[in-house]
Amino acid sequence: MASEVEETLKRIEGQRGVVGTVVCNADGIPIRSSLDGVATAQYARLLRKLTVMAKSAVRDIDPQNDLTFLRLRSQKCEIMVGLENEFLVIVIQNLHQ
Amino acid sequence: MFTDEVLDSVGIESQWRKSQQLTRESRGCQTRALHSTDAEVQTVSTAVSSTQTEPQDHVTEQLLQHEEPEPPGLRDFLRQVEDRVIKELVKNARSHAFDGYQVNWEDQSQLVSCRHRLQHPSAQERSLHVTSVSWSCTGSVIACAYGRIDEGDWGTEKSHVCTWNLDRRGLNPKQPDLVIDVPTTVTALSFHPNQPSLIAGGLYTGEVVVWDTSHTQDPVMAQTGMSADSHREPVYQVDWVPLQKRGEFGVLSASSGGRVLLWTLDPDQGGFVLSAGYALVRQQVPHSSRSNYKARGSSHVGVTALALSPWDSDIFLVGSEGGLLLKCSFSSQTLAAAPSEGQSVTLRAPAVFSFRPRNSPIHSIHCSPFHRNLFLSVGTDGLAHLHSLLQTNPLLSVRVSDSYVFDVRWSPTRPLVFAAATGQGVVQIFDLGRRSLRPAATIDQGGANQAATCLAFNSQNPHLLAVGKTDGTVNIWHLSADLTEQSPRETVQLELMAREVAE
């Protein structure tokens, strides 16, 4: 039961370049994480805010539409946020090998 | 005549007093009676308990997992989102969409411009050359040493060491903030890497001096003096070396007498104590098998250039008047074959490895701050050689100019960029990442007969480059953004370059 969740997260983390994963719930509270406490809290809090704004932007343009995925590319890494049912999964991938 | 008379007394009644009395009344009040009762309470049974915190686990993921078994919906969520996430991750790892895409949000300056031209009028009157420049560890003070480099015999000219604080508002380029008078030509200068007020200098007479700029009365903090320990020939390079004890630094000085000496400061006596000495003797220089260098002349190797490796504290590099380029080790134990002149420390032969010698004196060596094996050397033949510490032959040879090249420095921010000061007065900046070996930028102040003798990058503010010239001016140049901003592939390119095996 719990192992299915762990297995799924392991599959995601096993992809090339993935640095860490954070799963958080509707209120931005991290549930599962592979990073340390400080980084987890930071990512969850900041990306939750960003996701809410992105979601409202998409829905304002077209109310039938909804946000499914958000990607942030920075100099050092790429942050991907997958959304569904008010949960968020944040994956950080490192680009330069 | 006079008789006693008794008169009646007269009384006058007060009128207002009586009226006050008339208006006075008395009133009284009283609270109602208070009801009070007594009661007692007594505990019948007692119990004792205490609490204590337990040492916390720092693995928060475990805490999170033990809090609740699983929030509802998590499994379904992950199941739904997993495929999408993995697809994106794989696509991103394979994507070339952003290759070579760089964005810079800061303002870019495209020009190299001269910020300041610093001069000392009395040095200019006597046509002194700038022999050495150094930035302080804070990056705001530039110190320069004056002297003459073209005199062959003992320079008895008095000279100066001047400092300017560039961050001060009232900066007067014609007037230094601090002028230290020195009895002879100063040939080398170096600021302390941690303490912004200490400067080490090497003199033409072979002395090594440390000045403390915070003492304006007598800035000389320590001096080697003319003892049996000190150099007899001009000191061409001084450097601060981190000692075994953390935070302490010693001064390494190299002179053309073939000696490299390591001094430690003795705070009690205010002088230097020789802690280690190295003598370079021709016979003890390791000869690489392919060199056809013939030993000639005097037996000592006159050192004209010295470089410390920022990666390996045991290694230092030495360049000589005869063109020898040697890798030396601080911990070498072989005794030097030089005649002992009554030094307090036995001299050792430090040379471990010899690179391919050049045909001309080597003026400057600098180790790359980005790669542990690379260093540059320049000499009077006008070429800059890029060497790897592991090979005798240079990896790359760049023609800098047709005349002498006096100084070369790697850029502190871009792994592939270095600047060289030439005898024609021009500073050439090369970018090894470019295909062609022509300079990426040329800084020409004008005044073709004035050689640029020394240059220094400011490590705190990497846009600034100080260049000292023989006309006695120090120019501070502000470099353009493309010379100072690192692009992502540079360290990789440097690594590839270092791994090439020279033919």
Coordinates of all heavy atoms in Angstrom, one line a residue, chain B residues 18-99:
Chain B
K18 N -21.6 84.7 59.9 CA -22.8 84.1 60.3 C -23.6 83.5 59.1 O -24.1 82.5 59.3 CB -23.7 85.3 60.9 CG -24.6 84.9 62.1 CD -25.7 85.9 62.3 CE -25.1 86.9 63.3 NZ -26.1 87.9 63.7
S19 N -23.4 84.1 58.0 CA -24.1 83.6 56.8 C -23.6 82.2 56.4 O -24.3 81.4 56.0 CB -24.1 84.5 55.6 OG -22.8 84.9 55.4
Q20 N -22.3 82.0 56.6 CA -21.7 80.7 56.3 C -22.3 79.7 57.2 O -22.7 78.6 56.8 CB -20.2 80.7 56.4 CG -19.6 79.7 55.4 CD -18.2 79.7 55.5 OE1 -17.6 79.8 56.6 NE2 -17.5 79.5 54.4
Q21 N -22.4 80.0 58.4 CA -22.9 79.1 59.4 C -24.4 78.7 59.0 O -24.8 77.6 59.2 CB -22.9 79.7 60.8 CG -21.6 79.5 61.4 CD -21.6 80.0 62.8 OE1 -22.5 80.7 63.2 NE2 -20.6 79.7 63.6
L22 N -25.0 79.7 58.5 CA -26.4 79.4 58.1 C -26.5 78.3 57.1 O -27.4 77.5 57.1 CB -27.1 80.6 57.6 CG -27.5 81.6 58.7 CD1 -28.0 82.9 58.0 CD2 -28.6 81.0 59.5
T23 N -25.5 78.3 56.1 CA -25.7 77.3 55.0 C -25.0 76.0 55.3 O -25.1 75.1 54.5 CB -25.0 77.8 53.7 OG1 -23.7 78.2 54.0 CG2 -25.8 79.0 53.2
R24 N -24.5 75.8 56.3 CA -23.8 74.5 56.6 C -24.8 73.5 57.1 O -25.7 73.8 57.9 CB -22.8 74.7 57.7 CG -21.7 73.6 57.6 CD -20.6 73.7 58.6 NE -20.7 74.7 59.6 CZ -20.0 74.8 60.7 NH1 -19.1 73.8 60.8 NH2 -20.1 75.8 61.5
E25 N -24.6 72.3 56.6 CA -25.5 71.2 57.0 C -24.6 70.0 57.2 O -23.5 69.9 56.7 CB -26.5 70.8 55.9 CG -27.6 71.8 55.7 CD -28.4 71.3 54.5 OE1 -28.3 70.1 54.1 OE2 -29.2 72.1 54.0
S26 N -25.1 69.0 57.9 CA -24.4 67.8 58.1 C -25.1 66.7 57.4 O -26.4 66.6 57.5 CB -24.3 67.4 59.5 OG -23.9 68.5 60.3
R27 N -24.4 65.8 56.7 CA -25.0 64.6 56.1 C -24.2 63.4 56.4 O -23.0 63.5 56.7 CB -25.0 64.8 54.5 CG -25.8 65.9 54.0 CD -26.7 65.2 53.1 NE -27.6 66.3 52.5 CZ -28.4 66.1 51.5 NH1 -28.5 64.9 51.0 NH2 -29.2 67.0 51.1
G28 N -24.8 62.3 56.4 CA -24.1 61.1 56.6 C -24.6 60.0 55.8 O -25.7 60.0 55.3
C29 N -23.7 59.0 55.4 CA -24.2 57.8 54.7 C -23.5 56.6 55.2 O -22.5 56.6 55.8 CB -24.0 57.9 53.2 SG -22.3 58.1 52.8
Q30 N -24.1 55.5 55.0 CA -23.6 54.3 55.5 C -24.0 53.1 54.5 O -25.1 53.1 54.1 CB -24.3 54.0 56.9 CG -24.0 52.6 57.5 CD -22.6 52.5 58.0 OE1 -22.1 53.4 58.6 NE2 -22.0 51.4 57.6
T31 N -22.9 52.3 54.2 CA -23.2 51.1 53.3 C -24.1 50.1 54.0 O -24.0 50.1 55.2 CB -21.9 50.5 52.8 OG1 -21.2 50.1 54.0 CG2 -21.1 51.4 52.0
R32 N -24.7 49.3 53.2 CA -25.5 48.3 53.8 C -24.5 47.2 54.4 O -23.4 47.2 53.9 CB -26.3 47.6 52.7 CG -27.6 48.4 52.5 CD -28.6 47.6 51.6 NE -29.0 48.5 50.6 CZ -28.9 48.2 49.3 NH1 -28.4 47.0 48.9 NH2 -29.3 49.0 48.4
A33 N -25.0 46.5 55.2 CA -24.1 45.5 55.9 C -23.6 44.5 54.9 O -24.3 44.0 54.0 CB -24.9 44.8 56.9
L34 N -22.3 44.1 54.9 CA -21.7 43.1 54.0 C -21.9 41.7 54.6 O -21.8 41.5 55.8 CB -20.2 43.4 53.9 CG -19.7 44.6 53.2 CD1 -18.2 44.7 53.4 CD2 -20.0 44.4 51.7
H35 N -22.2 40.8 53.6 CA -22.3 39.4 54.0 C -21.0 38.7 53.7 O -20.5 38.8 52.6 CB -23.4 38.7 53.3 CG -24.8 39.4 53.5 ND1 -25.4 39.3 54.7 CD2 -25.5 40.2 52.7 CE1 -26.6 40.0 54.6 NE2 -26.6 40.5 53.4
S36 N -20.4 38.0 54.6 CA -19.2 37.2 54.3 C -19.3 35.9 54.9 O -19.9 35.7 56.0 CB -18.0 38.0 54.8 OG -18.1 38.2 56.2
T37 N -18.6 34.9 54.2 CA -18.6 33.6 54.8 C -17.2 33.0 54.6 O -16.4 33.5 53.8 CB -19.6 32.6 54.1 OG1 -19.3 32.7 52.7 CG2 -21.0 32.9 54.4
D38 N -16.8 32.1 55.4 CA -15.5 31.4 55.2 C -15.7 30.0 54.7 O -16.7 29.3 55.1 CB -14.8 31.3 56.6 CG -14.2 32.6 57.0 OD1 -13.7 33.3 56.0 OD2 -14.2 33.0 58.2
A39 N -14.7 29.6 53.8 CA -14.8 28.2 53.4 C -13.4 27.6 53.2 O -12.5 28.4 53.0 CB -15.5 28.1 52.0
E40 N -13.2 26.4 53.3 CA -11.9 25.7 53.2 C -11.8 24.7 52.1 O -12.8 24.0 51.9 CB -11.5 25.1 54.5 CG -11.0 26.2 55.5 CD -10.6 25.5 56.8 OE1 -10.6 24.3 56.9 OE2 -10.2 26.3 57.7
V41 N -10.7 24.5 51.4 CA -10.5 23.5 50.4 C -9.2 22.7 50.8 O -8.2 23.3 51.2 CB -10.4 24.1 49.0 CG1 -9.8 23.1 48.0 CG2 -11.7 24.6 48.6
Q42 N -9.3 21.4 50.5 CA -8.1 20.6 50.8 C -8.0 19.5 49.7 O -9.0 18.9 49.5 CB -8.2 20.0 52.2 CG -7.1 19.0 52.6 CD -5.8 19.7 52.7 OE1 -5.7 20.8 53.3 NE2 -4.8 19.1 52.3
T43 N -6.8 19.3 49.1 CA -6.7 18.2 48.1 C -6.7 16.9 48.9 O -6.1 16.8 49.9 CB -5.3 18.3 47.3 OG1 -4.3 18.4 48.3 CG2 -5.3 19.5 46.4
V44 N -7.3 16.0 48.3 CA -7.5 14.7 48.9 C -6.4 13.7 48.4 O -5.8 13.0 49.2 CB -8.9 14.2 48.7 CG1 -9.0 12.7 49.2 CG2 -9.9 15.1 49.3
S45 N -6.3 13.7 47.0 CA -5.3 12.7 46.5 C -4.3 13.5 45.6 O -4.7 14.4 44.9 CB -6.0 11.6 45.8 OG -6.6 12.1 44.6
T46 N -3.0 13.0 45.5 CA -2.0 13.7 44.6 C -1.4 12.7 43.7 O -1.3 11.5 44.1 CB -0.9 14.4 45.5 OG1 -0.3 13.4 46.3 CG2 -1.5 15.5 46.3
A47 N -1.0 13.1 42.6 CA -0.2 12.2 41.7 C 0.9 13.0 41.1 O 0.8 14.2 40.8 CB -1.1 11.7 40.6
V48 N 2.1 12.4 40.8 CA 3.3 13.1 40.3 C 3.5 12.6 38.9 O 3.5 11.4 38.6 CB 4.5 12.8 41.2 CG1 5.8 13.4 40.6 CG2 4.3 13.3 42.6
S49 N 3.8 13.5 37.9 CA 4.2 13.1 36.6 C 5.1 14.1 36.0 O 5.1 15.3 36.4 CB 3.0 12.9 35.7 OG 2.5 14.2 35.3
S50 N 5.9 13.7 35.0 CA 6.9 14.6 34.4 C 7.0 14.4 32.9 O 6.6 13.3 32.4 CB 8.3 14.4 35.1 OG 8.7 13.1 34.9
T51 N 7.5 15.4 32.2 CA 7.7 15.2 30.7 C 9.2 15.5 30.4 O 9.8 16.3 31.0 CB 6.8 16.2 29.9 OG1 7.2 17.5 30.3 CG2 5.4 16.0 30.2
Q52 N 9.6 15.0 29.3 CA 11.0 15.1 28.8 C 11.0 15.1 27.3 O 10.4 14.1 26.8 CB 11.8 14.0 29.4 CG 13.2 13.9 28.8 CD 14.1 15.1 29.3 OE1 14.2 15.4 30.5 NE2 14.9 15.6 28.4
T53 N 11.7 16.0 26.6 CA 11.8 15.9 25.2 C 12.8 14.8 24.8 O 13.8 14.7 25.5 CB 12.2 17.2 24.5 OG1 13.4 17.6 25.1 CG2 11.1 18.3 24.7
E54 N 12.6 14.2 23.7 CA 13.5 13.2 23.2 C 14.4 13.8 22.1 O 13.9 14.7 21.4 CB 12.8 12.0 22.6 CG 12.3 11.1 23.7 CD 11.5 9.9 23.1 OE1 11.3 10.0 21.9 OE2 11.2 9.0 23.9
P55 N 15.6 13.3 21.9 CA 16.4 13.9 20.8 C 15.7 13.6 19.5 O 15.3 12.5 19.2 CB 17.8 13.1 20.9 CG 17.5 12.0 21.7 CD 16.4 12.3 22.6
Q56 N 15.7 14.7 18.7 CA 14.9 14.6 17.4 C 15.7 14.0 16.3 O 16.9 14.2 16.2 CB 14.5 16.1 17.0 CG 13.3 16.6 17.6 CD 12.8 17.7 16.8 OE1 13.4 18.1 15.9 NE2 11.7 18.3 17.3
D57 N 15.0 13.3 15.5 CA 15.6 12.8 14.2 C 15.7 13.9 13.2 O 14.8 14.6 13.0 CB 14.7 11.7 13.6 CG 15.0 10.3 14.3 OD1 16.2 10.2 14.7 OD2 14.1 9.5 14.4
H58 N 16.9 14.0 12.6 CA 17.0 15.0 11.6 C 16.5 14.6 10.3 O 16.6 15.4 9.3 CB 18.4 15.5 11.5 CG 18.8 16.4 12.7 ND1 18.4 17.7 12.8 CD2 19.6 16.1 13.8 CE1 18.8 18.1 14.0 NE2 19.6 17.2 14.6
V59 N 16.1 13.4 10.2 CA 15.6 13.0 8.9 C 14.1 13.3 8.9 O 13.3 12.5 9.4 CB 15.9 11.5 8.7 CG1 15.4 11.0 7.3 CG2 17.4 11.2 8.9
T60 N 13.8 14.4 8.3 CA 12.4 14.8 8.4 C 11.5 13.9 7.5 O 10.3 13.8 7.7 CB 12.2 16.3 7.9 OG1 13.1 16.5 6.8 CG2 12.6 17.2 9.0
E61 N 12.1 13.3 6.5 CA 11.2 12.5 5.7 C 10.6 11.4 6.5 O 9.5 11.0 6.3 CB 11.9 12.0 4.4 CG 13.1 11.2 4.7 CD 13.8 10.9 3.4 OE1 14.4 11.8 2.8 OE2 13.8 9.7 3.0
Q62 N 11.4 10.9 7.4 CA 10.9 9.8 8.2 C 9.8 10.3 9.1 O 8.8 9.7 9.3 CB 12.0 9.3 9.1 CG 12.9 8.3 8.4 CD 13.9 7.7 9.3 OE1 14.1 8.2 10.4 NE2 14.6 6.7 8.8
L63 N 10.0 11.5 9.7 CA 8.9 12.1 10.5 C 7.6 12.2 9.7 O 6.6 11.9 10.2 CB 9.3 13.5 11.0 CG 10.3 13.5 12.2 CD1 10.7 14.9 12.5 CD2 9.5 12.9 13.4
L64 N 7.8 12.7 8.5 CA 6.6 13.0 7.7 C 5.9 11.6 7.5 O 4.7 11.6 7.4 CB 7.0 13.6 6.4 CG 7.4 15.1 6.5 CD1 7.9 15.5 5.2 CD2 6.2 15.9 6.8
Q65 N 6.7 10.6 7.3 CA 6.1 9.4 7.0 C 5.4 8.7 8.2 O 4.5 8.0 8.0 CB 7.1 8.4 6.4 CG 7.3 8.7 4.9 CD 8.6 8.1 4.4 OE1 9.2 7.3 5.1 NE2 8.9 8.3 3.2
H66 N 5.9 9.1 9.3 CA 5.3 8.4 10.5 C 4.1 9.1 11.0 O 3.4 8.6 11.8 CB 6.4 8.3 11.6 CG 7.5 7.4 11.3 ND1 8.5 7.1 12.1 CD2 7.7 6.6 10.2 CE1 9.3 6.2 11.6 NE2 8.9 5.9 10.4
E67 N 3.9 10.3 10.5 CA 2.8 11.1 11.0 C 1.5 10.4 10.7 O 0.7 10.2 11.6 CB 2.7 12.5 10.3 CG 3.2 13.6 11.1 CD 3.3 14.9 10.3 OE1 2.3 15.1 9.7 OE2 4.3 15.5 10.3
E68 N 1.3 10.2 9.5 CA 0.0 9.5 9.1 C 0.3 8.5 8.1 O 1.2 8.7 7.3 CB -1.0 10.5 8.6 CG -0.3 11.4 7.5 CD -1.2 12.6 7.1 OE1 -2.2 12.3 6.5 OE2 -0.8 13.7 7.4
P69 N -0.4 7.5 8.0 CA -0.1 6.4 7.0 C -0.1 6.9 5.6 O 0.9 6.8 4.9 CB -1.2 5.4 7.2 CG -2.2 6.0 8.1 CD -1.6 7.1 8.8
E70 N -1.1 7.7 5.2 CA -1.1 8.2 3.9 C -2.4 9.0 3.7 O -3.4 8.6 4.1 CB -1.3 7.0 2.9 CG -0.7 7.2 1.6 CD -1.0 5.9 0.7 OE1 -0.2 5.0 0.9 OE2 -2.0 5.9 0.0
P71 N -2.2 10.2 3.2 CA -3.4 11.0 3.0 C -4.3 10.4 1.9 O -3.7 9.8 1.0 CB -2.9 12.3 2.6 CG -1.5 12.3 2.5 CD -1.0 10.9 2.8
P72 N -5.5 10.5 2.1 CA -6.4 9.8 1.1 C -6.2 10.5 -0.3 O -6.1 11.7 -0.4 CB -7.8 10.0 1.6 CG -7.7 11.2 2.5 CD -6.3 11.1 3.1
G73 N -6.2 9.7 -1.3 CA -6.1 10.2 -2.6 C -4.6 10.3 -3.1 O -4.4 10.6 -4.3
L74 N -3.7 10.2 -2.2 CA -2.3 10.3 -2.7 C -1.9 9.3 -3.7 O -1.3 9.5 -4.7 CB -1.3 10.2 -1.5 CG 0.1 10.4 -1.8 CD1 0.4 11.8 -2.3 CD2 1.0 10.2 -0.5
R75 N -2.3 8.1 -3.4 CA -2.0 7.0 -4.3 C -2.6 7.2 -5.7 O -1.9 7.0 -6.7 CB -2.5 5.7 -3.8 CG -1.4 4.6 -3.6 CD -1.9 3.3 -3.2 NE -3.0 3.4 -2.2 CZ -4.0 2.5 -2.2 NH1 -4.1 1.6 -3.1 NH2 -5.0 2.7 -1.3
D76 N -3.8 7.6 -5.7 CA -4.5 7.8 -7.0 C -3.8 8.9 -7.8 O -3.6 8.9 -9.0 CB -6.0 8.2 -6.8 CG -6.7 7.0 -6.2 OD1 -6.3 5.8 -6.5 OD2 -7.6 7.3 -5.4
F77 N -3.5 10.0 -7.0 CA -2.9 11.1 -7.6 C -1.6 10.7 -8.3 O -1.3 11.1 -9.4 CB -2.6 12.2 -6.5 CG -1.6 13.2 -6.9 CD1 -1.8 14.1 -7.9 CD2 -0.4 13.2 -6.2 CE1 -0.8 15.0 -8.2 CE2 0.6 14.2 -6.5 CZ 0.4 15.1 -7.5
L78 N -0.8 10.0 -7.5 CA 0.6 9.7 -8.1 C 0.4 8.8 -9.3 O 1.1 8.9 -10.3 CB 1.4 9.0 -7.0 CG 2.1 10.0 -6.0 CD1 2.8 9.2 -5.0 CD2 3.0 10.9 -6.8
R79 N -0.6 7.9 -9.2 CA -0.8 7.0 -10.3 C -1.1 7.8 -11.6 O -0.6 7.5 -12.7 CB -1.9 6.1 -10.0 CG -1.7 4.6 -10.6 CD -2.9 3.8 -10.3 NE -2.9 3.4 -8.8 CZ -4.1 3.2 -8.2 NH1 -5.2 3.3 -8.8 NH2 -4.1 2.9 -6.9
Q80 N -2.0 8.8 -11.4 CA -2.4 9.6 -12.6 C -1.3 10.5 -13.1 O -1.1 10.7 -14.3 CB -3.6 10.5 -12.2 CG -4.8 9.7 -12.1 CD -5.9 10.6 -11.5 OE1 -5.7 11.7 -11.1 NE2 -7.1 10.1 -11.6
V81 N -0.5 11.0 -12.2 CA 0.5 12.0 -12.6 C 1.8 11.5 -13.0 O 2.6 12.1 -13.7 CB 0.6 13.1 -11.5 CG1 1.8 12.8 -10.6 CG2 0.6 14.5 -12.0
E82 N 2.1 10.2 -12.6 CA 3.4 9.7 -12.8 C 3.8 9.6 -14.3 O 4.9 10.0 -14.7 CB 3.4 8.2 -12.2 CG 4.8 7.6 -12.4 CD 4.7 6.1 -12.3 OE1 3.6 5.6 -11.9 OE2 5.7 5.4 -12.6
D83 N 2.9 9.1 -15.1 CA 3.3 9.0 -16.5 C 3.6 10.3 -17.1 O 4.6 10.4 -17.9 CB 2.1 8.4 -17.3 CG 1.9 6.9 -17.0 OD1 2.9 6.3 -16.6 OD2 0.8 6.4 -17.0
R84 N 2.8 11.3 -16.8 CA 3.0 12.6 -17.4 C 4.4 13.2 -17.0 O 5.2 13.7 -17.8 CB 1.9 13.6 -17.0 CG 1.5 14.5 -18.0 CD 0.5 15.5 -17.5 NE -0.6 14.8 -16.9 CZ -1.3 15.4 -15.9 NH1 -1.0 16.5 -15.4 NH2 -2.4 14.7 -15.4
V85 N 4.7 13.0 -15.7 CA 6.0 13.5 -15.2 C 7.1 12.8 -15.8 O 8.1 13.5 -16.2 CB 6.0 13.4 -13.6 CG1 7.4 13.8 -13.1 CG2 5.0 14.3 -13.0
I86 N 7.0 11.5 -15.9 CA 8.2 10.8 -16.5 C 8.4 11.1 -17.9 O 9.5 11.3 -18.4 CB 8.0 9.3 -16.2 CG1 8.1 9.0 -14.7 CG2 9.0 8.5 -17.0 CD1 8.2 7.6 -14.4
K87 N 7.3 11.3 -18.6 CA 7.4 11.7 -20.0 C 8.1 13.0 -20.2 O 9.0 13.1 -21.0 CB 6.0 11.7 -20.6 CG 6.0 11.8 -22.1 CD 4.6 11.5 -22.7 CE 3.7 12.7 -22.3 NZ 2.7 13.1 -23.2
E88 N 7.8 14.0 -19.3 CA 8.4 15.3 -19.4 C 9.9 15.2 -19.0 O 10.7 15.9 -19.6 CB 7.7 16.3 -18.5 CG 6.3 16.6 -18.9 CD 6.3 17.4 -20.2 OE1 7.3 18.1 -20.5 OE2 5.2 17.4 -20.9
L89 N 10.2 14.4 -18.0 CA 11.6 14.3 -17.6 C 12.4 13.7 -18.7 O 13.5 14.2 -19.0 CB 11.7 13.4 -16.3 CG 11.3 14.1 -15.0 CD1 11.2 13.0 -14.0 CD2 12.2 15.2 -14.6
V90 N 11.9 12.7 -19.3 CA 12.7 12.0 -20.4 C 12.9 13.0 -21.6 O 13.9 13.2 -22.2 CB 12.0 10.7 -20.8 CG1 12.6 10.2 -22.1 CG2 12.2 9.7 -19.7
K91 N 11.8 13.7 -21.9 CA 11.8 14.6 -23.0 C 12.8 15.7 -22.7 O 13.6 16.2 -23.6 CB 10.4 15.2 -23.2 CG 10.1 15.6 -24.6 CD 8.7 15.9 -24.9 CE 7.9 16.6 -23.9 NZ 6.8 17.5 -24.5
N92 N 12.9 16.2 -21.5 CA 13.8 17.3 -21.1 C 15.2 16.8 -21.2 O 16.1 17.5 -21.6 CB 13.4 17.8 -19.7 CG 14.2 19.0 -19.4 OD1 14.4 19.8 -20.3 ND2 14.5 19.3 -18.2
A93 N 15.4 15.6 -20.8 CA 16.8 15.1 -20.8 C 17.4 15.0 -22.2 O 18.5 15.1 -22.4 CB 16.9 13.8 -20.0
R94 N 16.5 14.7 -23.1 CA 16.9 14.5 -24.5 C 16.9 15.8 -25.3 O 17.3 15.9 -26.4 CB 16.1 13.5 -25.2 CG 16.4 12.1 -24.8 CD 15.9 11.1 -25.8 NE 15.1 10.1 -25.2 CZ 13.9 9.8 -25.5 NH1 13.3 10.4 -26.5 NH2 13.2 8.9 -24.9
S95 N 16.3 16.8 -24.7 CA 16.0 18.0 -25.6 C 17.2 18.8 -25.8 O 18.1 19.0 -25.0 CB 14.9 18.8 -24.9 OG 15.2 20.2 -25.0
H96 N 17.3 19.4 -27.0 CA 18.3 20.3 -27.4 C 17.8 21.7 -27.5 O 18.5 22.6 -28.1 CB 19.0 19.9 -28.7 CG 19.8 18.6 -28.5 ND1 21.0 18.5 -27.9 CD2 19.4 17.3 -28.9 CE1 21.4 17.3 -27.9 NE2 20.5 16.5 -28.5
A97 N 16.6 21.9 -27.1 CA 16.0 23.2 -27.3 C 16.7 24.4 -26.7 O 16.8 25.4 -27.3 CB 14.5 23.2 -26.8
F98 N 17.3 24.1 -25.6 CA 18.0 25.3 -25.0 C 19.5 25.2 -25.0 O 20.1 25.9 -24.3 CB 17.6 25.3 -23.5 CG 16.1 25.7 -23.3 CD1 15.1 24.8 -23.1 CD2 15.8 27.1 -23.3 CE1 13.8 25.2 -22.9 CE2 14.5 27.5 -23.1 CZ 13.5 26.6 -22.9
D99 N 20.0 24.4 -25.9 CA 21.5 24.4 -26.0 C 22.0 25.7 -26.4 O 21.6 26.3 -27.5 CB 21.9 23.3 -27.1 CG 21.9 22.0 -26.5 OD1 21.7 21.8 -25.3 OD2 22.2 21.0 -27.2

